[in-house]
Amino acid sequence: GKDGGYDLLFTNARVVDGTGAPWFLADVGVRGGKIAAVGRLSGSPARRTIDASGLVVAPGFIDLLGQSEYNVLVDGRAASKITQGITTEVTGEGESIAPTDEKRIAENEDVYKKYGVRPDWRTLDQYFASLERRGTAINLATFIGSGGVRAMVVGMEKRPATPAELKRMEALVDEAMREGALGVSSSLQYIPNIYSDTAELIALAKVAARYGGAYFTHQRSESGRLSASLDEVFTIAREAKIRTQIWHLKTAYKPNFGRMPEILKKIEDARAEGLDVAANQYPWNRASNG
């Protein structure tokens, strides 16, 4: 800190650095909005010093499944995230903020009237530009939702996509991947995503895989048909050669309680076979997953 000190100095912090290493005791100096030094810095001049004794200083948390893509346009402070230490949110579960079109925008007109923000974007690129113009306290990344793409191209009908429709859906995923989407996602218990068959999901996942993207899924069943649902996830991972994540894995409702060891073994077996499949869970009880 010899070169003019720090804007902000945290002293005596338990630093958890995100590498997987155990916490260590250190001071953290911040200058110009960036971490400038980690070590024994006490006595260095600082505009503001915070005694972090007994507290943890860590990099911002990543919320792997948020839904703030519209909310951050209404209120860029994202207070409910920032106060939890979340600095990055990943969104786009089965449907995403973009791409969109006039028809989809018209469907949500009441929301836009209520909150005063009407989409001035159609593509993902245009959405990110709009978000940057308004400013936001959190970083935001998104998947391209296969359900949203289906709604745009096929609509809400219960039927397979025609070859021409599938081509159009693939083109939308391709464009979104080039514009920064993390991959393609599905949420298969909701209309119209529920009408997507495995072949459709494989086709869209293959597009994401070309760009190094991932396939994240709210799988088809989280209760009675969980085993068959997992097999579908593995089939998509295998056929599309894509790294895959099961969002909020659970064995919901009483008849399925106690099945988690069997379910985890299925995932471990798939990984042993060479599939890049993983899962995450809610850190709280929800929807009968107790």
Side-chain angles (χ1 to χ4, degrees), residues 9 11 41-45:
L9 182 63
T11 57
L41 309 173
S42 57
S44 304

Side-chain angles (χ1 to χ4, degrees), residues 178-216:
R178 283 183 280 116
E179 293 176 352
L182 295 182
V184 70
S185 70
S186 65
S187 192
L188 299 174
Q189 291 178 19
Y190 299 95
I191 292 171
N193 219 174
I194 195 170
Y195 307 137
S196 299
D197 59 19
T198 309
E200 178 183 306
L201 297 167
I202 290 167
L204 299 182
K206 278 181 172 171
V207 177
R210 285 209 296 267
Y211 295 92
Y215 172 67
F216 273 42

Side-chain angles (χ1 to χ4, degrees), residues 9-279:
L9 182 63
F10 298 91
T11 57
N12 307 313
R14 288 183 175 195
V15 175
V16 178
D17 65 9
T19 63
W23 67 264
F24 55 91
L25 214 53
D27 310 316
V28 179
V30 178
R31 192 185 302 120
K34 289 192 164 64
I35 293 171
V38 178
R40 299 246 173 260
L41 309 173
S42 57
S44 304
R47 280 189 200 159
R48 185 179 174 204
T49 300
I50 295 173
D51 179 7
S53 303
L55 301 174
V56 168
V57 169
F61 303 136
I62 300 170
D63 181 350
L64 204 56
L65 179 51
Q67 296 175 330
S68 309
E69 59 272 83
Y70 179 74
N71 307 32
V72 290
L73 302 175
V74 177
D75 184 348
R77 294 172 297 179
S80 62
K81 297 286 163 163
I82 292 294
T83 51
Q84 296 181 75
I86 293 163
T87 54
T88 298
E89 180 183 292
V90 175
T91 181
E93 182 196 6
E95 54 177 52
S96 41
I97 192 84
T100 191
D101 57 20
E102 297 307 326
K103 181 167 72 80
R104 299 215 72 205
I105 289 168
E107 284 163 9
N108 291 309
E109 207 62 71
D110 53 341
V111 174
Y112 309 142
K113 279 202 176 73
K114 182 173 179 183
Y115 294 106
V117 177
R118 193 175 189 277
D120 53 2
W121 65 88
R122 297 297 176 269
T123 66
L124 188 55
D125 236 0
Q126 290 165 349
Y127 167 75
F128 283 140
S130 187
L131 180 63
E132 278 183 31
R133 253 197 328 275
R134 296 165 199 273
T136 168
I138 55 170
N139 302 308
L140 195 87
T142 189
F143 281 85
I144 173 88
S146 60
V149 168
R150 179 172 245 272
M152 265 177 82
V153 175
V154 182
M156 295 300 180
E157 293 145 60
K158 181 182 181 176
R159 62 170 178 81
T162 65
E165 286 168 338
L166 189 56
K167 265 203 160 55
R168 171 94 182 104
M169 289 166 73
E170 289 171 333
L172 287 169
V173 172
D174 191 282
E175 181 183 23
M177 289 305 300
R178 283 183 280 116
E179 293 176 352
L182 295 182
V184 70
S185 70
S186 65
S187 192
L188 299 174
Q189 291 178 19
Y190 299 95
I191 292 171
N193 219 174
I194 195 170
Y195 307 137
S196 299
D197 59 19
T198 309
E200 178 183 306
L201 297 167
I202 290 167
L204 299 182
K206 278 181 172 171
V207 177
R210 285 209 296 267
Y211 295 92
Y215 172 67
F216 273 42
T217 183
H218 169 132
Q219 60 178 323
R220 217 174 275 279
S221 172
E222 300 177 325
S223 52
R225 294 186 50 74
L226 182 50
S227 207
S229 185
L230 277 176
D231 289 336
E232 181 185 41
V233 174
F234 302 152
T235 299
I236 295 164
R238 189 182 299 112
E239 297 292 317
K241 297 181 177 62
I242 193 166
R243 57 200 171 86
T244 298
Q245 178 89 219
I246 299 160
W247 265 313
H248 50 64
L249 182 71
K250 61 180 84 66
T251 55
Y253 311 114
K254 222 168 199 165
N256 299 294
F257 289 2
R259 288 185 63 195
M260 195 51 92
E262 161 214 336
I263 296 307
L264 292 179
K265 184 173 187 316
K266 274 184 78 96
I267 295 171
E268 279 161 12
D269 289 348
R271 289 177 66 82
E273 184 200 312
L275 298 181
D276 188 350
V277 178

